Amino acid sequence: MDLSSEKALMRYSEAYQLLYNRKPRDLRTLENGWVIVNGARMRAAELDYLTVQLQNEYNKGLEQRRTVVQRLLKWFKQN
């Protein structure tokens, strides 16, 4: 079992859970740096890229919520 593949799966799983509030399905490591994610076979490096994309989406959502709260606070201060 490739240690970097395991780490890539762990990071992906954590990012997926943060974004979707559920565990991803069908995560497995294969030999030579390959992994299975939701039935798709890919390299661990590709999974790292997908993990970064999930983290960016999560951070984008946080920023949007933060902006809404700040706008509401500003509106309440004015009224």
Side-chain angles (χ1 to χ4, degrees):
M1 189 176 304
D2 189 7
L3 189 57
S4 65
S5 296
E6 277 293 316
K7 286 184 179 182
L9 284 177
M10 286 179 22
R11 288 189 300 265
Y12 176 83
S13 180
E14 291 169 0
Y16 189 94
Q17 286 181 34
L18 280 174
L19 186 59
Y20 297 114
N21 295 322
R22 62 179 178 190
K23 290 184 178 185
R25 289 184 272 159
D26 195 20
L27 294 179
R28 292 181 279 151
T29 59
L30 301 174
E31 64 282 339
N32 300 325
W34 289 91
V35 296
I36 299 282
V37 178
N38 295 329
R41 183 177 181 220
M42 65 184 74
R43 290 258 183 216
E46 294 170 316
L47 186 59
D48 283 335
Y49 176 77
L50 290 176
T51 301
V52 169
Q53 296 301 315
L54 289 177
Q55 291 168 337
N56 288 341
E57 285 296 317
Y58 178 75
N59 291 334
K60 183 178 167 184
L62 281 179
E63 185 59 35
Q64 287 174 343
R65 282 183 257 153
R66 188 177 297 124
T67 301
V68 168
V69 169
Q70 288 173 345
R71 288 174 54 203
L72 280 172
L73 288 173
K74 185 178 177 181
W75 184 81
F76 282 123
K77 285 180 183 179
Q78 291 175 352
N79 292 329

